[in-house]
Amino acid sequence: MGMEFENLPEGIYRGRIAPTPTGFLHLGHAKTFSLAAARCRAVAGTLVLRIEDIDRARCKTAFAKAAMEDLRALGITWQEGPDVGGNFAPYVQSEAMEYFLSVWRRLRDAGAIYPCRRSRKDVAAAARAPHAEDDAEAIFPMEWRPEDPDFGKDFEEPGDWNWRFRVPAGESICFRDALQGEQRFVAGTDFGDFVVWRRDGVPAYELAVVADDIRMKITEVVRGADLLKSTARQLLLYRALNAFPPAFAHAPLVLDASGKRLAKRNDALSVRALLARGEKIV
Ligand code: GLU
């Protein structure tokens, strides 16, 4: 029998593990993914594996393959996916562009998004006010929104624009996280109009992850606590798409000896290095 959890959603449970193959999995991934697998197993749910490789320049097939090997070595299995010789292949985001485009169209038709020429650099420069804290998030200035609320509605393709979500400035986005408790973020203050489609022709993380969690009928998202604020943005996307959001459980981040978040380039703490040294991981 798996671990017991008091706070699992009732009904059919569908979870997912969604690595981005830009490097080897590290201890933080191992802990988060093991927790995701344990929560799913505890209620005999279905776990899917999704490779988040939208950013083709940074992602490598070899890392996706390595992630699958590491997951297996950790005893993490998934119960769904395309059949490859009796095994389940992962769902691969870079193969779902048509679907992501259909979601872009729905957001465009709903008037929830608009095309924008401003880059991340522009936003960072605008936010570099004398008193701004260094690590504070750069907020997209409201006055940069197009005046015409219908701007973009007649675009047939995303083209070479960034597309941003029009956040409801001043609205509190609240949710109860199964592990971190009550959360509250204010749109327009904690985050501004965020990119859902990138000018290089691919969906941004926020759109891809929500679109896929809807398509895969995920009932609970288990991921790292670094994504808590993203969840607030994503809840706005669920609403704009008329979709019921999943439950959320954000796992505490794993820090290295100097108190910094683990990065994929820290190979000494990669799952494979730890396993090779015979260290206990989870
Ligand atoms: N692919 C993301 C990552 O590796 C996780 C996204 C998510 O779980 O929502 O950080």
Side-chain angles (χ1 to χ4, degrees):
M1 225 11 244
M3 269 184 255
E4 303 263 327
F5 295 99
E6 287 175 3
N7 50 2
L8 282 172
E10 286 180 24
I12 296 166
Y13 184 102
R14 291 177 58 82
R16 60 16 168 228
I17 287 181
T20 301
T22 51
F24 290 118
L25 299 188
H26 58 55
L27 190 57
H29 297 112
K31 291 203 186 271
T32 302
F33 294 161
S34 298
L35 180 67
R39 286 178 77 84
C40 187
R41 205 181 311 120
V43 288
T46 301
L47 193 65
V48 307
L49 173 64
R50 183 167 82 218
I51 303 294
E52 303 212 316
D53 62 344
I54 286 291
D55 192 338
R56 302 304 291 153
R58 292 176 56 234
C59 294
K60 293 204 163 62
T61 312
F63 287 129
K65 211 168 141 255
M68 288 168 66
E69 285 165 11
D70 291 348
L71 289 170
R72 290 204 184 94
L74 290 166
I76 296 174
T77 54
W78 49 101
Q79 293 81 42
E80 195 185 282
D83 185 335
V84 278
N87 283 319
F88 295 117
Y91 295 113
V92 179
Q93 282 194 327
S94 60
E95 293 170 2
M97 292 304 282
E98 270 311 312
Y99 169 66
F100 295 132
L101 260 178
S102 74
V103 175
W104 170 82
R105 275 187 220 109
R106 285 178 56 193
L107 291 168
R108 175 206 58 193
D109 292 348
I113 57 175
Y114 60 85
C116 176
R117 288 284 180 216
R118 306 282 186 172
S119 65
R120 195 193 285 242
K121 250 191 184 162
D122 296 333
V123 179
R128 220 174 290 127
H131 305 296
E133 289 167 42
D134 283 351
D135 57 352
E137 175 167 327
I139 310 277
F140 183 83
M142 285 293 166
E143 58 272 21
W144 286 359
R145 276 185 182 174
E147 273 168 34
D148 175 4
D150 286 334
F151 180 57
K153 266 192 161 175
D154 59 349
F155 279 47
E156 277 176 19
E157 302 292 332
D160 62 345
W161 295 74
N162 284 317
W163 286 73
R164 291 182 182 272
F165 187 90
R166 206 183 288 274
V167 304
E171 183 178 329
S172 289
I173 318 296
C174 304
F175 61 97
R176 211 193 123 64
D177 185 87
L179 302 172
Q180 311 286 336
E182 295 297 335
Q183 302 294 314
R184 176 175 174 268
F185 295 95
V186 180
T189 305
D190 289 320
F191 58 88
D193 289 0
F194 54 92
V195 176
V196 295
W197 198 274
R198 294 170 19 171
R199 49 171 309 190
D200 57 353
V202 295
Y205 159 70
E206 310 285 10
L207 183 147
V209 85
V210 168
D212 262 353
D213 284 338
I214 292 172
R215 180 166 69 130
M216 294 168 193
K217 298 188 166 50
I218 300 304
T219 61
E220 183 180 68
V221 166
V222 180
R223 60 185 171 202
D226 53 327
L227 289 168
L228 270 171
K229 196 195 283 184
S230 267
T231 297
R233 298 186 188 97
Q234 291 173 20
L235 286 169
L236 293 173
L237 278 172
Y238 281 98
R239 187 167 75 187
L241 292 165
N242 270 327
F244 196 74
F248 293 94
H250 288 81
L253 294 182
V254 179
L255 305 177
D256 69 12
S258 60
K260 282 215 276 310
R261 262 181 62 190
L262 296 188
K264 285 198 176 120
R265 49 195 177 276
N266 188 342
D267 283 345
L269 289 176
S270 71
V271 167
R272 50 191 49 211
L274 293 169
L275 289 176
R277 293 203 297 266
E279 291 187 35
K280 187 170 163 8
I281 296 197
V282 282

